[in-house]
Amino acid sequence: MKHTIFITGSSRGIGKAIALYLAKQGYDLVLHCRSQKMQAEAVIAEIEKLGQSARLLQFDIGDRAQCAEQISHDIETHGAYYGVVCNAGITADNAFPALTGEEWDSVIHTNLDSFYNVLQPVIMPMIRRRKPGRIVTLSSVSGIMGNRGQVNYSAAKAGIIGATKALALELAKRDITVNCVAPGLIATEMLDELSSDVIQMEEIKKLIPARRIGDPKEVAAAVAFLMSEDAAYITRQVISVNGGLC
């Protein structure tokens, strides 16, 4: 029986890279998007070319009712997931004195509340499988060391680490591992605007011991390992993929 993995925010960037990497590893996938349906469907087409099956769920991870309805219905129809990757998230950067209440609330609500919104409906079905399972959350280097202009994002991503470690304790005896991957600066669409400033990018690279920006596939490889059978004794860990930044 093939393992099925559910990935939030998988229409582009790191989420897309994770989906394609896992498909190449032989997993069937449940993709998710909030608004980029055409992009997500294009990812599904790529997955199917690799010989794996994929289907799409579309909802807002910040909407608890939508999460519960869509995820529960999918599980009732197709069965419990072997693994879940909580990747989706947003940023709203600003210096703290200028940070608006809306910028704070939207980032905390979407990035941190979604931990509960997405995982709460999947946990009991995973437990009832009575088989090993895998959960991987995505934090950030900002959640470990903080980042100027990202007090809201750093707070949310640090919260993800704490929640991940606590959930890992609860599920360890069920053979369900719960780990976190914390990327550094990765070449995704979010870097496009910054990348236009060549001088600034060169200065940023000097801060990274590896002296380069990471590739989404390098994050995907870490996630894929944590999803594998070989990672059965690894839980409650934070794996940084950041070129030695911290």
Side-chain angles (χ1 to χ4, degrees), residues 182-211:
L185 208 57
I186 306 298
T188 65
E189 291 86 344
M190 293 176 70
L191 275 185
D192 285 349
E193 183 177 336
L194 190 60
S195 298
S196 63
D197 188 334
V198 177
I199 296 176
Q200 186 177 2
M201 282 302 298
E202 289 305 312
E203 290 303 310
I204 289 173
K205 288 178 184 178
K206 291 178 183 178
L207 300 175
I208 304 170
R211 292 295 192 269

Short mmCIF file of all heavy atoms in Angstrom, two decimals, residues 182-211:
data_model
loop_
_atom_site.label_atom_id
_atom_site.label_comp_id
_atom_site.label_asym_id
_atom_site.label_seq_id
_atom_site.Cartn_x
_atom_site.Cartn_y
_atom_site.Cartn_z
N ALA A 182 13.81 24.12 9.54
CA ALA A 182 13.91 25.57 9.61
C ALA A 182 14.82 26.09 8.49
O ALA A 182 16.05 26.09 8.64
CB ALA A 182 14.45 26.00 10.98
N PRO A 183 14.25 26.52 7.38
CA PRO A 183 15.07 27.02 6.28
C PRO A 183 15.66 28.39 6.59
O PRO A 183 15.11 29.17 7.37
CB PRO A 183 14.07 27.12 5.12
CG PRO A 183 12.88 26.31 5.53
CD PRO A 183 12.84 26.43 7.03
N GLY A 184 16.79 28.67 5.94
CA GLY A 184 17.35 30.01 5.96
C GLY A 184 16.89 30.76 4.74
O GLY A 184 15.71 30.70 4.37
N LEU A 185 17.79 31.46 4.08
CA LEU A 185 17.45 32.21 2.88
C LEU A 185 17.43 31.26 1.69
O LEU A 185 18.47 30.71 1.30
CB LEU A 185 18.47 33.33 2.67
CG LEU A 185 17.99 34.58 1.94
CD1 LEU A 185 16.81 35.21 2.64
CD2 LEU A 185 19.13 35.58 1.81
N ILE A 186 16.26 31.06 1.12
CA ILE A 186 16.06 30.08 0.05
C ILE A 186 15.55 30.80 -1.20
O ILE A 186 14.75 31.73 -1.12
CB ILE A 186 15.04 29.00 0.47
CG1 ILE A 186 15.46 28.35 1.80
CG2 ILE A 186 14.89 27.96 -0.62
CD1 ILE A 186 16.78 27.62 1.77
N ALA A 187 16.02 30.35 -2.36
CA ALA A 187 15.66 30.98 -3.63
C ALA A 187 14.23 30.64 -4.03
O ALA A 187 13.97 29.64 -4.68
CB ALA A 187 16.63 30.54 -4.73
N THR A 188 13.28 31.47 -3.60
CA THR A 188 11.88 31.30 -3.96
C THR A 188 11.34 32.62 -4.48
O THR A 188 12.05 33.63 -4.53
CB THR A 188 11.04 30.85 -2.74
OG1 THR A 188 11.05 31.91 -1.76
CG2 THR A 188 11.60 29.59 -2.13
N GLU A 189 10.05 32.64 -4.82
CA GLU A 189 9.43 33.86 -5.32
C GLU A 189 9.53 35.00 -4.31
O GLU A 189 9.56 36.18 -4.68
CB GLU A 189 7.95 33.60 -5.66
CG GLU A 189 7.73 32.71 -6.86
CD GLU A 189 7.73 31.22 -6.51
OE1 GLU A 189 8.20 30.87 -5.41
OE2 GLU A 189 7.28 30.43 -7.34
N MET A 190 9.57 34.67 -3.02
CA MET A 190 9.64 35.69 -1.98
C MET A 190 10.94 36.49 -2.05
O MET A 190 11.03 37.60 -1.52
CB MET A 190 9.50 35.04 -0.60
CG MET A 190 8.13 34.45 -0.35
SD MET A 190 8.02 33.60 1.24
CE MET A 190 8.09 34.99 2.36
N LEU A 191 11.94 35.94 -2.72
CA LEU A 191 13.24 36.64 -2.83
C LEU A 191 13.35 37.48 -4.11
O LEU A 191 14.34 38.18 -4.30
CB LEU A 191 14.38 35.63 -2.81
CG LEU A 191 14.90 35.16 -1.46
CD1 LEU A 191 16.11 34.26 -1.66
CD2 LEU A 191 15.25 36.32 -0.56
N ASP A 192 12.36 37.40 -4.99
CA ASP A 192 12.46 38.06 -6.28
C ASP A 192 12.74 39.55 -6.16
O ASP A 192 13.61 40.10 -6.83
CB ASP A 192 11.18 37.85 -7.09
CG ASP A 192 11.09 36.44 -7.67
OD1 ASP A 192 12.11 35.72 -7.62
OD2 ASP A 192 10.01 36.05 -8.15
N GLU A 193 11.98 40.22 -5.28
CA GLU A 193 12.15 41.67 -5.14
C GLU A 193 13.53 42.00 -4.57
O GLU A 193 14.20 42.91 -5.03
CB GLU A 193 11.06 42.23 -4.22
CG GLU A 193 11.12 43.74 -4.07
CD GLU A 193 9.98 44.27 -3.22
OE1 GLU A 193 8.94 43.60 -3.12
OE2 GLU A 193 10.15 45.37 -2.64
N LEU A 194 13.95 41.22 -3.58
CA LEU A 194 15.25 41.44 -2.97
C LEU A 194 16.38 41.15 -3.95
O LEU A 194 17.40 41.85 -3.98
CB LEU A 194 15.39 40.55 -1.74
CG LEU A 194 16.59 40.79 -0.82
CD1 LEU A 194 16.57 42.20 -0.26
CD2 LEU A 194 16.60 39.77 0.30
N SER A 195 16.18 40.14 -4.79
CA SER A 195 17.22 39.72 -5.72
C SER A 195 17.53 40.79 -6.77
O SER A 195 18.60 40.78 -7.38
CB SER A 195 16.80 38.43 -6.43
OG SER A 195 16.65 37.38 -5.50
N SER A 196 16.61 41.72 -6.97
CA SER A 196 16.85 42.78 -7.96
C SER A 196 17.94 43.75 -7.49
O SER A 196 18.53 44.46 -8.29
CB SER A 196 15.54 43.54 -8.24
OG SER A 196 15.09 44.20 -7.06
N ASP A 197 18.18 43.78 -6.19
CA ASP A 197 19.24 44.62 -5.64
C ASP A 197 20.49 43.76 -5.48
O ASP A 197 20.70 43.12 -4.46
CB ASP A 197 18.78 45.20 -4.29
CG ASP A 197 19.76 46.24 -3.75
OD1 ASP A 197 20.95 46.18 -4.12
OD2 ASP A 197 19.33 47.09 -2.96
N VAL A 198 21.33 43.77 -6.51
CA VAL A 198 22.50 42.90 -6.54
C VAL A 198 23.46 43.17 -5.39
O VAL A 198 23.98 42.26 -4.75
CB VAL A 198 23.25 43.04 -7.90
CG1 VAL A 198 24.51 42.18 -7.88
CG2 VAL A 198 22.33 42.64 -9.05
N ILE A 199 23.68 44.46 -5.09
CA ILE A 199 24.61 44.84 -4.01
C ILE A 199 24.10 44.32 -2.67
O ILE A 199 24.86 43.75 -1.88
CB ILE A 199 24.80 46.37 -3.97
CG1 ILE A 199 25.47 46.85 -5.26
CG2 ILE A 199 25.64 46.76 -2.74
CD1 ILE A 199 25.61 48.36 -5.34
N GLN A 200 22.80 44.51 -2.42
CA GLN A 200 22.23 44.05 -1.16
C GLN A 200 22.33 42.53 -1.04
O GLN A 200 22.64 41.99 0.02
CB GLN A 200 20.77 44.49 -1.04
CG GLN A 200 20.15 44.16 0.32
CD GLN A 200 18.73 44.66 0.45
OE1 GLN A 200 18.17 45.23 -0.47
NE2 GLN A 200 18.14 44.45 1.61
N MET A 201 22.08 41.82 -2.14
CA MET A 201 22.14 40.37 -2.12
C MET A 201 23.56 39.89 -1.83
O MET A 201 23.76 38.92 -1.09
CB MET A 201 21.67 39.79 -3.46
CG MET A 201 20.16 39.78 -3.63
SD MET A 201 19.31 38.83 -2.32
CE MET A 201 19.98 37.21 -2.59
N GLU A 202 24.55 40.56 -2.38
CA GLU A 202 25.94 40.18 -2.12
C GLU A 202 26.31 40.39 -0.66
O GLU A 202 27.05 39.61 -0.07
CB GLU A 202 26.88 40.97 -3.04
CG GLU A 202 26.81 40.56 -4.50
CD GLU A 202 27.05 39.07 -4.70
OE1 GLU A 202 28.03 38.55 -4.13
OE2 GLU A 202 26.25 38.43 -5.41
N GLU A 203 25.77 41.46 -0.07
CA GLU A 203 26.02 41.72 1.35
C GLU A 203 25.36 40.66 2.22
O GLU A 203 25.93 40.22 3.23
CB GLU A 203 25.50 43.11 1.73
CG GLU A 203 26.31 44.25 1.15
CD GLU A 203 27.78 44.18 1.56
OE1 GLU A 203 28.05 44.03 2.77
OE2 GLU A 203 28.65 44.26 0.67
N ILE A 204 24.16 40.23 1.84
CA ILE A 204 23.46 39.19 2.58
C ILE A 204 24.22 37.87 2.51
O ILE A 204 24.36 37.16 3.51
CB ILE A 204 22.02 39.02 2.03
CG1 ILE A 204 21.17 40.24 2.42
CG2 ILE A 204 21.38 37.74 2.56
CD1 ILE A 204 19.81 40.26 1.79
N LYS A 205 24.73 37.55 1.33
CA LYS A 205 25.47 36.30 1.17
C LYS A 205 26.72 36.24 2.06
O LYS A 205 27.12 35.17 2.50
CB LYS A 205 25.88 36.12 -0.30
CG LYS A 205 24.72 35.78 -1.23
CD LYS A 205 25.20 35.66 -2.67
CE LYS A 205 24.05 35.42 -3.61
NZ LYS A 205 24.50 35.36 -5.03
N LYS A 206 27.30 37.41 2.33
CA LYS A 206 28.48 37.45 3.18
C LYS A 206 28.17 37.02 4.61
O LYS A 206 29.06 36.59 5.35
CB LYS A 206 29.08 38.86 3.18
CG LYS A 206 29.72 39.26 1.86
CD LYS A 206 30.25 40.68 1.92
CE LYS A 206 30.83 41.12 0.58
NZ LYS A 206 31.31 42.52 0.61
N LEU A 207 26.90 37.15 5.01
CA LEU A 207 26.49 36.76 6.35
C LEU A 207 26.28 35.25 6.48
O LEU A 207 26.22 34.71 7.58
CB LEU A 207 25.18 37.47 6.74
CG LEU A 207 25.22 39.00 6.76
CD1 LEU A 207 23.83 39.55 7.03
CD2 LEU A 207 26.22 39.50 7.78
N ILE A 208 26.18 34.58 5.34
CA ILE A 208 25.93 33.14 5.32
C ILE A 208 27.27 32.42 5.16
O ILE A 208 27.98 32.64 4.18
CB ILE A 208 25.00 32.76 4.15
CG1 ILE A 208 23.69 33.55 4.23
CG2 ILE A 208 24.72 31.26 4.14
CD1 ILE A 208 22.80 33.42 3.01
N PRO A 209 27.66 31.57 6.09
CA PRO A 209 28.94 30.87 5.98
C PRO A 209 29.13 30.16 4.65
O PRO A 209 30.25 30.12 4.12
CB PRO A 209 28.91 29.89 7.16
CG PRO A 209 28.09 30.61 8.18
CD PRO A 209 27.01 31.30 7.40
N ALA A 210 28.07 29.58 4.10
CA ALA A 210 28.18 28.87 2.81
C ALA A 210 28.30 29.83 1.63
O ALA A 210 28.56 29.39 0.51
CB ALA A 210 26.97 27.95 2.61
N ARG A 211 28.07 31.13 1.88
CA ARG A 211 28.22 32.18 0.87
C ARG A 211 27.30 32.02 -0.34
O ARG A 211 27.65 32.38 -1.46
CB ARG A 211 29.69 32.26 0.39
CG ARG A 211 30.67 32.76 1.44
CD ARG A 211 30.36 34.22 1.81
NE ARG A 211 31.42 34.81 2.61
CZ ARG A 211 31.48 34.80 3.93
NH1 ARG A 211 30.52 34.17 4.62
NH2 ARG A 211 32.46 35.37 4.59
#
